[in-house]
C-alpha cells in the first residue's frame, strides 16, 4: 500500500507539468490523472472555483511561485464551506455540493483558458467523423456541468472570465474583485460579488481625505483593471463633490523598468504640497513604492492612503516600517472565522489528499522537501509529514476567507430556495432541477439574504454588488512595535476616531496636504485657473466685506465692515458735543456777548430819557441791540443736537440776527445820507426821517428775510440727515456719520446772502456819510463798524468753503460761522454802544443837553467842513482858519431843534 508521504511525492511532479496545454509524455513518469491540474469533488451539483494558487509566471511561464495565503487559504475556505453545507441538514437537504477548482495563476489570459473547462458540458461535440480503430463510434467522457462559479480574485481575471460565463448563462460570485466596471449590469449581468465595489471604497477613501482636511492629493495606481478603475472612480467622485483636487495621477507599469519607482517618487515631489498619496496598487507595487521613498530620504513626507489591496497586510511594510508609519488603509469589514482556523490547522498530508496543491504548500510553509521530486530541490531539510500548521509555522488567517465562505453560502442559499420552489418535498434533486437554468438561478442569487460566516448580512443590489462596509486602519509605531490599528469604519458614511490617530512627527496636529492654506477672515479666495483647490488670498479692502468664500462686496453706504470684515455694521453717528473745544469757544464768546448786550439794554432802559440815549435814536437802538442779541443766541441752536425743532430755529435765526442789525444800520446811514444830500439843495427836512418811519423801513427790510424763510419752510420742511460722506475716510475704522440739519451750502448762502447784501449796502452809505460831523448820529462809528464787519466776513468765506473737503468740516464750519456772527455782533456792540455806556456810567457829567442848532446851521457846518478839507492842500493854515471862522459865525445866527 502506498503511503501518503510517497503518494504526495509522486503527485508533485505530475502537478508541475499538468498545467501545460500540450504536455510532453515521459516514459519514466506515470501518466497524470485527469484532474491533476485542478481539484474535483463529486456531488449532485457542481460549483466551479477560481483561485490564484500561484503567482504570475516570469519569462513566458504561465505560473510562478505558490501563494500560501491568497491561494491555499482561500481555496481551503471553499472546500471547508462545502463540507459545512453538505453536513447541514437544513441547507440543501439530501443534495450534495461538489466542486471543480482551478488555478488562475494570477493571469487573466491563463484564467480564461482554464475557465473553458466550466463550459465544456454546454458545448455540443460533433462525433460523426470520429471512429475508433475498431471502427466503432467513440465514447466521450461526459464533463461536469458547472452551474455556478466562485471567483475570481483579481478584477482583471473576473472581467475576462465573466465575458465567457455570461455567454453560457453561468452565474458567478466573486470574493475579492472590486473593480467598479463590474457593476455594469448590461455587460456583466451574471456577475455578483460579496465584497463592495471600489466605487464604495473610493467614496470611503474620499471621505477619509476630506475628514483629514486634505484637498490636494496625488493618486497612484497599478496598471490594470483594479488600480486604474479604482483611481478613476476616486477622481470622478472627487470631481463631483468638488472638495478635493488631484495634483497628479501616476500609473505603475505592469513590467516596471529599473529605477521606475524612483522616477515615480521624484514626480510626486514635483507637487510637494500634495503630500497625501491615494494608492490603488497591488502589494508588490506598494512595497516597492515605499522602498523608493525610503531610498530618496522622504520618510515622513508622504501621507499614504491605501486601498484594500494594502489593507492590514504585513508584506508591503516589512523593513519599511518608518516610511509606512501613519499610513491610512481601508479593508472591507471582516472577521476571523475561528472554525476555519481549527479546520486549517488540522490539515495534514494524510487527511487532505483532495487538494492537489497541498503538498507544494507543505514544502513552502515548513521550508522542507517532499521526496526526490519535491518543488524545493535546494532545501536540505526533508519533510516528515508530521509537521503541524500553526505549531511548526506561523499562521494567520487570510483576509478574504470570510468572503470566500460567504460566496459559497450565497450560492447554496440560492440553490436551496430554488429547490424549495421547484422540488417542494422532493428528496434530492427533482427532474426540474436536473438541468438548472442559469438565468433563473441568477434571480435567486440576487434575492438571497442571510447572515454570513462573520454574522454580517449578505445581500446583493440590482447590480450584484454587496453593501459597502469597511474598517479604517492606521499603521502606527508605538514603543518600537509596529501594527495596524482600527481608527474607524465606513458604512455609507465615515466614522473616524481622530484621537486614535498617530503620526510620524509625534505631533498631535493634523499634517497638511493642501495646495493653499485657508484664507483668514476678511480675505477672499482668488482661485488659480484650472486648479480649484489652489488660490491666492486677497484681503477685502476699504469698505468691502467678505460676502462669501470667493467674493468681497461693498457695504451699504451707511455701513462699514466689522473688525473681521465678515459682515457690515452701522457707521457710528457723531454730532458737535457741548464739551468739544470746537463748541466751548463759540459758546463762551456768545455768553459774554449776551451778558454784554443785556447790560447795554438794561443801561439804555434805565437811562432811557438821558440825552445820550435820546441822541442815539432809542427805537432804532433797541432794534439794533435785538439783532446783536440774536446773533449771539444763534450759536446755541447751531451747536445743539440736530432735531426738527433745532433745525427750524437754525433756519430762522441763521440770518435773522444779522438782518435785524444791518437793516437798522442801513436805515440809520440812509437817513444821514438823505439829510445831508437834501441840505445841499434845500433847508427843508427830507421825508421819512421820523422814528416811526425809520421803524417801518427797518421792519420792511426784515420782513423780506422772514418771507424767504417762510418759503424755505414750505418748499423744504426742516429735517435732519446723517451725512456719511463728510467723514468717509479711506480707513473705515475712522469713518463717521455726521448728524446734521438738511441745510446745504446753497441754502446757507441764500439765507445769509440777504443779510450780507444789507451789510454791503450799509457799508456803501457809511462811506458816503464819512464827512459828516463826528457828533452827528454816530456816522463815523457806523462806518468803522461796517468796515470791520466786512473784513470779518471776507475772512469767513474762504475758511468756511475752503474746508469743505476736510474731515473736520462740521467742526470748522460750525465754529467759523458762530464765531463770525458773534464777532460781527461784538464789533457793532463795542463800537456803537460801549462808548455811550462808558459815558452814562462813568462820566454822567457829559450826559447833558447841548446847545440846539438849526437844521441849516448843521448842514452849513458839514458843508464848510468838506470845503476845509478841500482847501487845506491849497492855502496856508491861517487863511483857511479865517474863512472857516467867518462862515461859522454867520451860520450860528439861526437855530432849530435837533433833528
Amino acid at each position: 500500500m502506498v503511503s501518503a508521504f510517497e503518494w504526495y511525492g509522486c503527485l508533485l511532479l505530475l502537478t508541475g507539468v499538468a498545467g501545460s496545454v500540450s504536455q510532453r509524455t515521459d516514459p519514466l513518469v506515470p501518466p497524470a490523472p485527469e484532474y491533476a491540474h485542478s481539484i474535483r469533488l463529486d456531488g449532485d451539483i457542481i460549483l466551479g472555483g477560481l483561485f490564484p494558487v500561484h503567482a504570475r509566471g516570469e519569462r513566458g511561464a504561465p505560473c510562478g511561485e505558490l501563494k500560501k495565503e491568497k491561494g491555499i487559504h482561500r481555496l481551503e475556505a471553499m472546500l471547508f464551506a462545502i463540507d459545512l453545507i453538505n453536513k447541514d441538514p437544513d441547507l440543501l437537504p439530501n443534495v450534495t455540493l461538489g466542486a471543480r477548482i482551478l488555478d488562475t495563476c494570477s493571469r487573466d489570459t491563463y484564467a480564461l483558458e482554464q475557465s473553458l473547462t466550466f463550459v465544456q458540458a454546454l458545448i455540443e461535440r460533433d462525433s460523426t467523423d470520429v471512429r475508433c480503430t475498431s471502427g466503432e463510434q467513440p465514447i466521450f467522457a461526459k464533463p461536469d456541468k458547472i452551474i455556478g462559479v466562485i471567483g475570481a480574485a483579481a478584477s482583471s481575471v473576473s472581467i475576462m472570465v465573466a465575458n465567457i460565463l455570461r455567454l453560457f448563462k453561468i452565474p458567478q460570485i466573486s470574493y475579492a474583485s472590486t473593480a467598479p466596471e463590474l457593476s455594469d449590469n448590461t455587460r456583466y449581468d451574471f456577475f455578483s460579488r460579496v465584497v463592495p465595489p471600489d466605487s464604495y471604497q473610493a467614496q470611503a477613501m474620499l471621505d477619509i481625505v476630506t475628514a483629514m482636511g486634505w484637498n490636494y492629493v496625488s493618486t497612484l495606481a497599478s496598471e490594470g483593471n483594479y488600480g486604474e478603475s479604482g483611481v478613476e472612480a476616486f477622481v470622478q467622485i472627487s470631481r463631483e463633490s468638488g472638495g478635493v483636487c488631484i495634483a497628479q495621477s501616476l500609473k505603475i507599469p505592469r513590467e516596471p523598468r529599473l529605477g521606475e519607482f524612483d522616477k515615480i517618487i521624484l514626480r510626486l515631489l514635483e507637487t510637494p504640497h500634495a503630500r497625501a498619496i491615494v494608492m490603488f496598487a497591488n502589494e508588490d507595487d506598494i512595497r516597492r513604492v515605499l522602498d523608493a521613498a525610503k531610498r530618496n530620504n522622504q520618510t515622513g513626507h508622504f501621507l499614504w492612503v491605501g486601498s484594500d489591496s494594502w489593507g492590514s497586510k504585513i508584506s508591503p511594510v516589512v523593513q519599511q516600517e518608518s516610511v509606512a508609519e501613519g499610513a491610512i488603509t481601508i479593508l472591507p469589514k471582516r472577521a476571523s472565522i475561528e472554525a476555519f482556523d481549527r479546520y486549517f490547522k488540522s490539515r495534514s498530508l494524510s487527511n487532505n489528499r483532495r487538494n492537489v496543491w497541498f503538498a507544494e504548500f507543505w514544502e513552502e510553509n515548513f521550508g522542507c522537501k517532499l521526496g526526490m521530486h519535491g518543488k524545493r530541490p535546494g532545501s536540505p531539510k526533508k519533510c516528515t509529514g508530521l509537521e503541524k500548521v500553526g505549531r511548526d509555522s506561523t499562521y494567520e488567517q487570510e483576509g478574504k476567507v470570510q468572503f470566500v465562505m460567504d460566496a459559497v453560502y450565497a450560492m447554496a442559499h440560492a440553490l436551496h430556495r430554488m429547490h424549495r420552489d421547484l422540488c417542494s418535498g422532493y428528496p434530492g434533486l427533482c427532474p426540474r432541477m436536473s438541468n438548472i437554468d442559469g438565468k433563473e438561478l441568477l434571480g435567486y442569487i440576487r434575492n438571497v439574504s442571510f447572515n454570513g460566516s462573520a454574522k454580517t448580512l449578505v445581500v446583493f443590489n440590482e447590480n450584484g454588488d454587496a453593501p459597502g462596509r469597511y474598517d479604517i486602519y492606521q499603521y502606527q509605531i508605538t514603543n518600537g512595535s509596529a501594527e495596524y490599528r482600527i481608527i474607524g469604519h465606513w458604512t455609507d458614511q465615515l466614522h473616524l476616531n481622530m484621537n486614535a490617530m498617530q503620526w510620524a512627527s509625534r505631533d498631535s496636529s493634523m499634517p497638511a496636504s493642501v495646495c493653499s492654506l485657508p484664507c483668514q477672515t476678511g480675505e477672499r479666495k482668488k482661485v488659480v485657473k484650472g486648479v480649484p483647490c489652489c488660490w491666492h488670498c486677497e484681503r477685502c479692502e476699504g469698505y468691502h466685506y467678505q460676502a462669501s468664500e470667493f467674493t468681497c462686496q461693498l457695504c451699504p453706504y451707511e455701513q462699514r465692515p466689522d473688525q473681521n470684515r465678515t459682515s457690515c455694521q452701522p457707521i457710528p453717528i457723531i454730532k458737535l458735543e457741548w464739551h468739544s473745544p470746537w463748541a466751548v469757544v463759540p459758546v463762551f464768546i456768545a455768553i459774554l456777548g449776551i451778558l454784554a448786550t443785556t447790560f447795554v439794554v438794561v443801561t439804555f432802559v434805565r437811562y432811557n430819557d438821558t440825552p445820550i440815549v435820546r441822541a442815539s435814536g432809542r427805537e432804532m437802538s433797541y432794534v439794533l441791540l435785538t439783532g446783536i442779541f440774536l446773533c449771539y443766541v444763534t450759536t446755541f441752536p447751531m451747536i445743539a443736537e440736530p432735531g426738527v425743532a433745532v433745525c427750524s430755529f437754525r433756519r430762522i435765526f441763521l440770518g435773522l440776527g444779522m438782518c435785524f442789525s444791518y437793516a437798522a444800520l442801513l436805515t440809520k446811514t440812509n437817513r444821514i445820507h438823505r439829510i445831508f444830500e437834501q441840505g445841499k439843495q434845500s433847508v427843508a427836512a427830507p421825508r421819512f426821517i421820523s422814528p416811526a418811519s425809520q421803524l417801518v423801513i427797518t421792519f420792511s427790510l426784515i420782513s423780506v428775510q422772514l418771507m424767504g424763510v417762510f418759503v424755505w419752510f414750505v418748499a423744504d420742511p426742516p429735517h435732519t440727515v446723517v451725512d456719511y460722506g463728510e467723514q468717509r475716510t479711506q480707513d473705515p475704522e475712522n469713518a463717521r456719520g455726521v448728524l446734521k440739519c438738511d441745510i446745504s451750502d446753497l441754502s446757507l448762502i441764500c439765507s445769509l446772502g440777504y443779510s450780507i447784501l444789507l451789510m454791503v449796502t450799509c457799508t456803501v452809505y457809511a462811506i458816503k456819510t464819512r464827512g459828516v460831523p463826528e457828533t452827528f448820529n454816530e456816522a463815523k462809528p457806523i462806518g468803522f463798524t461796517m468796515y470791520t464787519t466786512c473784513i470779518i466776513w471776507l475772512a469767513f468765506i474762504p475758511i468756511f468753503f475752503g474746508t469743505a473737503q476736510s474731515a473736520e468740516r462740521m467742526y470748522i464750519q460750525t465754529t467759523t460761522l458762530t464765531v463770525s456772527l458773534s464777532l460781527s455782533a461784538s464789533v457793532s456792540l463795542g463800537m456803537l454802544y460801549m462808548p455811550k455806556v462808558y459815558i452814562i456810567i462813568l462820566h454822567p457829567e457829559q450826559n447833558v443837553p447841548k446847545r440846539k442848532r438849526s437844521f441849516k446851521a448843521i448842514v452849513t457846518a458839514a458843508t464848510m467842513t468838506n470845503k476845509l478839507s478841500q482847501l487845506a492842500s491849497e492855502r496856508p493854515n491861517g487863511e483857511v482858519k479865517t474863512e472857516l471862522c467867518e462862515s461859522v459865525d454867520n451860520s450860528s445866527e439861526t437855530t432849530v431843534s435837533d433833528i
Side-chain angles (χ1 to χ4, degrees):
M1 184 175 180
V2 180
S3 67
F5 179 80
E6 295 171 338
W7 187 86
Y8 268 101
C10 296
L11 186 59
L12 282 171
L13 178 62
L14 299 177
T15 56
V17 297
S20 176
V21 177
S22 56
Q23 180 178 324
R24 185 179 64 179
T25 303
D26 193 328
L28 299 178
V29 179
E34 181 184 356
Y35 305 110
H37 65 290
S38 64
I39 295 176
R40 182 180 185 276
L41 298 180
D42 289 330
D44 300 323
I45 298 175
I46 306 298
L47 301 179
L50 293 171
F51 294 92
V53 180
H54 292 88
R56 181 194 302 264
E58 297 180 356
R59 298 178 182 177
C63 301
E65 61 184 11
L66 182 78
K67 303 178 78 168
K68 294 192 299 180
E69 289 81 12
K70 285 190 175 182
I72 300 301
H73 281 209
R74 295 176 181 179
L75 182 152
E76 288 291 343
M78 181 175 178
L79 296 176
F80 176 59
I82 290 175
D83 290 344
L84 293 178
I85 292 168
N86 288 336
K87 293 176 184 178
D88 190 344
D90 298 323
L91 187 61
L92 288 176
N94 300 314
V95 177
T96 303
L97 287 182
R100 183 72 183 275
I101 301 175
L102 304 176
D103 180 10
T104 64
C105 289
S106 306
R107 188 186 295 271
D108 50 5
T109 53
Y110 184 79
L112 178 63
E113 179 184 324
Q114 293 293 300
S115 64
L116 293 175
T117 304
F118 297 147
V119 300
Q120 287 179 355
L122 301 175
I123 300 176
E124 295 183 1
R125 298 190 180 185
D126 186 8
S127 58
T128 54
D129 296 334
V130 181
R131 291 289 183 271
C132 295
T133 54
S134 60
E136 297 180 358
Q137 205 163 2
I139 300 174
F140 292 99
K142 187 176 181 180
D144 294 324
K145 182 181 179 182
I146 307 299
I147 60 94
V149 174
I150 306 299
S155 295
S156 57
V157 174
S158 289
I159 289 172
M160 191 73 78
V161 173
N163 286 318
I164 293 296
L165 297 182
R166 72 183 294 267
L167 296 177
F168 297 92
K169 298 183 180 179
I170 299 177
Q172 175 186 0
I173 302 178
S174 174
Y175 50 83
S177 298
T178 57
E181 62 184 283
L182 287 167
S183 298
D184 187 352
N185 204 35
T186 60
R187 295 178 57 193
Y188 308 104
D189 45 343
F190 280 82
F191 178 85
S192 304
R193 49 187 162 191
V194 291
V195 288
D198 286 339
S199 55
Y200 293 161
Q201 183 176 199
Q203 181 64 61
M205 295 174 75
L206 179 64
D207 290 346
I208 292 171
V209 167
T210 303
M212 296 294 172
W214 301 337
N215 64 2
Y216 195 52
V217 303
S218 294
T219 62
L220 190 57
S222 293
E223 187 176 4
N225 288 100
Y226 172 78
E228 294 178 40
S229 299
V231 165
E232 183 181 350
F234 180 86
V235 171
Q236 181 178 353
I237 295 173
S238 64
R239 187 181 295 116
E240 291 173 355
S241 66
V244 176
C245 297
I246 309 301
Q248 295 189 75
S249 284
L250 305 183
K251 189 186 299 182
I252 302 172
R254 290 181 187 271
E255 305 292 340
R257 300 176 181 177
L258 187 65
E260 186 71 36
F261 290 92
D262 291 322
K263 293 180 182 179
I264 290 174
I265 295 298
L266 293 177
R267 285 195 61 187
L268 291 174
L269 289 173
E270 292 176 1
T271 51
H273 292 295
R275 295 176 60 193
I277 311 299
V278 177
M279 299 181 68
F280 282 85
N282 59 58
E283 56 186 279
D284 291 334
D285 288 342
I286 294 170
R287 178 176 51 79
R288 288 183 281 186
V289 167
L290 295 177
D291 185 51
K294 186 177 180 180
R295 282 197 308 272
N296 287 273
N297 297 319
Q298 296 303 318
T299 299
H301 174 75
F302 293 111
L303 306 170
W304 311 106
V305 182
S307 62
D308 62 348
S309 60
W310 186 336
S312 59
K313 295 185 179 70
I314 299 298
S315 58
V317 298
V318 172
Q319 298 181 350
Q320 327 254 26
E321 290 82 0
S322 59
V323 74
E325 184 179 6
I328 299 174
T329 61
I330 189 171
L331 198 62
K333 185 177 285 292
R334 64 182 186 181
S336 182
I337 312 301
E338 294 183 3
F340 176 79
D341 290 340
R342 293 192 297 270
Y343 162 81
F344 194 79
K345 290 178 180 180
S346 67
R347 296 297 89 192
S348 65
L349 294 175
S350 58
N351 64 12
N352 199 19
R353 296 189 177 188
R354 62 184 179 181
N355 186 346
V356 297
W357 297 287
F358 198 71
E360 187 177 354
F361 164 79
W362 199 266
E363 285 188 332
E364 187 72 25
N365 191 53
F366 295 109
C368 60
K369 179 182 178 183
L370 282 172
M372 59 180 299
H373 302 296
K375 289 278 187 173
R376 299 174 61 90
S379 177
K381 179 183 175 182
K382 289 189 177 182
C383 301
T384 64
L386 301 177
E387 294 86 0
K388 189 171 181 63
V389 175
R391 184 192 66 186
D392 301 318
S393 66
T394 58
Y395 168 77
E396 183 179 357
Q397 188 179 125
E398 201 275 332
K400 293 293 193 295
V401 165
Q402 167 197 342
F403 301 108
V404 173
M405 295 183 65
D406 287 346
V408 177
Y409 266 91
M411 194 72 75
H413 277 280
L415 289 169
H416 178 79
R417 294 187 179 183
M418 188 178 190
H419 181 270
R420 185 184 59 191
D421 293 343
L422 301 182
C423 308
S424 180
Y426 191 92
L429 289 180
C430 63
R432 293 183 64 184
M433 284 191 67
S434 59
N435 189 15
I436 296 176
D437 181 13
K439 192 168 186 62
E440 188 176 3
L441 176 60
L442 177 65
Y444 282 98
I445 292 174
R446 295 289 173 86
N447 289 312
V448 299
S449 178
F450 64 96
N451 288 325
S453 54
K455 307 304 179 184
T456 56
L457 186 65
V458 177
V459 291
F460 301 100
N461 64 11
E462 65 277 6
N463 296 322
D465 295 328
R469 291 186 291 260
Y470 296 96
D471 283 326
I472 314 297
Y473 293 84
Q474 188 182 40
Y475 190 66
Q476 299 180 357
I477 300 177
T478 307
N479 298 326
S481 176
E483 62 177 339
Y484 290 97
R485 290 185 180 176
I486 294 180
I487 59 171
H489 64 276
W490 189 92
T491 306
D492 294 331
Q493 61 181 356
L494 181 67
H495 302 275
L496 204 59
N497 183 7
M498 294 291 187
N499 296 327
M501 304 186 75
Q502 181 178 303
W503 306 99
S505 61
R506 300 295 182 270
D507 190 354
S508 59
S509 62
M510 189 75 64
S513 180
V514 295
C515 181
S516 303
L517 294 176
C519 293
Q520 297 180 358
T521 54
E523 294 181 341
R524 76 177 185 94
K525 293 179 179 178
K526 186 177 181 181
V527 179
V528 177
K529 187 175 181 180
V531 190
C533 296
C534 299
W535 57 79
H536 304 294
C537 295
E538 290 186 350
R539 184 162 179 80
C540 298
E541 297 292 347
Y543 288 83
H544 292 79
Y545 73 100
Q546 184 184 1
S548 68
E549 191 176 8
F550 303 99
T551 59
C552 293
Q553 287 186 2
L554 185 65
C555 286
Y557 191 69
E558 69 280 1
Q559 294 184 351
R560 67 180 182 182
D562 60 12
Q563 190 171 5
N564 295 327
R565 290 187 174 270
T566 54
S567 61
C568 295
Q569 60 184 9
I571 295 176
I573 298 175
I574 61 170
K575 61 185 185 300
L576 185 58
E577 302 290 348
W578 291 104
H579 56 76
S580 170
W582 296 98
V584 170
V585 173
V587 169
F588 179 73
I589 296 174
I591 291 175
L592 291 179
I594 291 172
L595 293 175
T597 305
T598 304
F599 178 72
V600 171
V601 171
V602 170
T603 301
F604 266 53
V605 172
R606 171 70 177 80
Y607 298 97
N608 188 56
D609 293 326
T610 62
I612 287 182
V613 174
R614 293 180 62 188
S616 299
R618 289 173 293 185
E619 296 80 4
M620 295 306 296
S621 292
Y622 291 132
V623 173
L624 179 56
L625 287 171
T626 301
I628 292 172
F629 184 84
L630 290 177
C631 285
Y632 287 125
V633 170
T634 304
T635 298
F636 296 95
M638 293 301 295
I639 295 176
E641 180 178 351
V644 175
V646 171
C647 293
S648 300
F649 282 120
R650 284 189 186 182
R651 290 191 181 188
I652 294 171
F653 290 121
L654 185 60
L656 189 61
M658 291 179 63
C659 186
F660 262 82
S661 299
Y662 300 126
L665 289 176
L666 176 60
T667 303
K668 272 194 171 190
T669 54
N670 176 264
R671 174 174 174 266
I672 294 171
H673 177 71
R674 287 189 294 113
I675 287 173
F676 286 98
E677 286 296 318
Q678 179 70 21
K680 293 177 182 179
Q681 301 173 6
S682 171
V683 294
R687 301 170 61 189
F688 308 118
I689 61 173
S690 65
S693 300
Q694 298 298 299
L695 288 176
V696 170
I697 294 171
T698 301
F699 283 106
S700 297
L701 294 174
I702 294 173
S703 65
V704 175
Q705 173 76 17
L706 293 175
M707 184 62 67
V709 172
F710 176 76
V711 173
W712 189 7
F713 268 74
V714 174
D716 183 17
H719 60 278
T720 60
V721 294
V722 179
D723 187 353
Y724 292 99
E726 183 172 319
Q727 295 196 25
R728 192 175 180 85
T729 59
Q730 289 186 349
D731 184 3
E733 286 297 318
N734 299 326
R736 297 292 183 271
V738 179
L739 178 63
K740 57 169 60 175
C741 293
D742 188 22
I743 301 177
S744 64
D745 290 345
L746 179 61
S747 301
L748 180 67
I749 292 172
C750 292
S751 180
L752 294 176
Y754 179 66
S755 299
I756 293 174
L757 177 63
L758 294 178
M759 180 182 68
V760 172
T761 307
C762 186
T763 303
V764 171
Y765 277 110
I767 294 172
K768 289 183 176 183
T769 59
R770 67 185 183 277
V772 301
E774 296 180 2
T775 58
F776 189 83
N777 275 353
E778 310 155 323
K780 283 191 170 58
I782 291 175
F784 287 123
T785 299
M786 298 318 301
Y787 305 151
T788 307
T789 303
C790 287
I791 293 173
I792 291 172
W793 287 100
L794 285 175
F796 162 79
I797 292 174
I799 295 174
F800 186 89
F801 294 100
T803 58
Q805 303 301 322
S806 173
E808 306 290 336
R809 172 186 174 185
M810 174 187 68
Y811 306 110
I812 296 175
Q813 290 188 342
T814 303
T815 301
T816 303
L817 179 59
T818 54
V819 169
S820 296
L821 288 170
S822 296
L823 289 178
S824 299
S826 299
V827 167
S828 299
L829 186 66
M831 289 190 173
L832 296 179
Y833 293 101
M834 284 305 171
K836 295 180 176 60
V837 173
Y838 174 78
I839 293 174
I840 293 172
I841 301 298
L842 299 179
H843 295 282
E845 70 278 3
Q846 297 180 15
N847 190 10
V848 293
K850 293 185 179 180
R851 181 173 61 90
K852 295 185 178 181
R853 293 184 296 174
S854 65
F855 176 77
K856 182 178 180 181
I858 295 172
V859 173
T860 303
T863 303
M864 294 307 297
T865 302
N866 289 335
K867 288 182 178 181
L868 176 63
S869 62
Q870 293 174 3
L871 295 174
S873 59
E874 300 176 3
R875 299 185 182 184
N877 293 337
E879 296 180 8
V880 175
K881 184 176 180 181
T882 302
E883 290 185 11
L884 178 60
C885 292
E886 292 176 352
S887 300
V888 171
D889 290 337
N890 295 330
S891 64
S892 62
E893 296 177 357
T894 307
T895 61
V896 296
S897 61
D898 189 17
I899 299 171

